[in-house]
Amino acid sequence: MSATTGRSDEVVAGAIFRDGRLLLAQRVGPPELAGLWELPGGKAEPGESAEAALRRELREELGVEVAGAQRVGAGVPLAGGRVLRAYRVELVSGEPRPLEHAALCWVDADELERIDLVPNDRVWLPELRARLRD
Ligand code: DCP
């Protein structure tokens, strides 16, 4: 919990959809998460909005510019008092590259069912699947 804002510290994760597919990124670490796939993102800085944190993290991790931040699914409590939240963001410019991940992939609804997601991100499967089947 932040002493200045009273808000739980947030970890943001970005859901980018394009042509009926969702972008996933393969983690390089820690060892228990290495090789698993996630919505890319990271820790918001103190006082930083979710939208600003997503812009910064996805620029750093993917080399792209994104806009917007529409909540997807439930928040996931993390160890240390942080809360992980997913947001749908729009790709504004750039082609995603794995600058901090082992690899990237674009999955359709069927591939999303079969890929090894990090455990936390599995809670968003119903919403992500619904969006891909729209
Ligand atoms: N996390 C997750 N699912 C995601 C994104 C993150 O479960 N889609 C988890 C993994 C970590 C925590 O959230 O336990 C923080 O994520 P990162 O390590 O990716 O965040 P940072 O890159 O900001 O961390 P650091 O600054 O420590 O490198």
Side-chain angles (χ1 to χ4, degrees):
M1 190 73 80
S2 157
T4 49
T5 65
R7 291 188 62 235
S8 294
D9 292 324
E10 191 170 17
V11 178
V12 296
I16 300 174
F17 294 92
R18 186 170 73 186
D19 300 334
R21 291 175 175 267
L22 170 68
L23 182 69
L24 295 177
Q26 190 176 34
R27 288 193 67 102
V28 293
E32 64 273 20
L33 297 181
L36 302 181
W37 296 84
E38 68 173 3
L39 297 183
K43 300 182 189 93
E45 291 173 354
E48 188 179 41
S49 69
E51 188 170 353
L54 286 159
R55 276 202 306 274
R56 178 181 52 73
E57 286 285 348
L58 299 184
R59 189 182 297 135
E60 289 171 6
E61 296 189 355
L62 308 175
V64 298
E65 295 300 318
V66 299
Q70 274 194 297
R71 277 291 302 281
V72 175
V76 183
L78 299 179
R82 291 179 191 274
V83 178
L84 171 66
R85 295 193 183 94
Y87 294 85
R88 183 175 169 193
V89 297
E90 303 303 324
L91 192 53
V92 173
S93 66
E95 183 60 26
R97 289 172 293 145
L99 302 178
E100 298 184 357
H101 286 88
L104 302 180
C105 69
W106 293 93
V107 294
D108 64 19
D110 291 337
E111 291 161 344
L112 179 63
E113 300 301 323
R114 295 193 295 266
I115 203 163
D116 284 328
L117 288 182
V118 300
N120 290 327
D121 295 24
R122 290 180 199 150
V123 304
W124 305 316
L125 274 172
E127 290 85 5
L128 297 172
R129 188 190 299 130
R131 169 78 183 93
L132 288 169
R133 294 219 159 108
D134 261 357

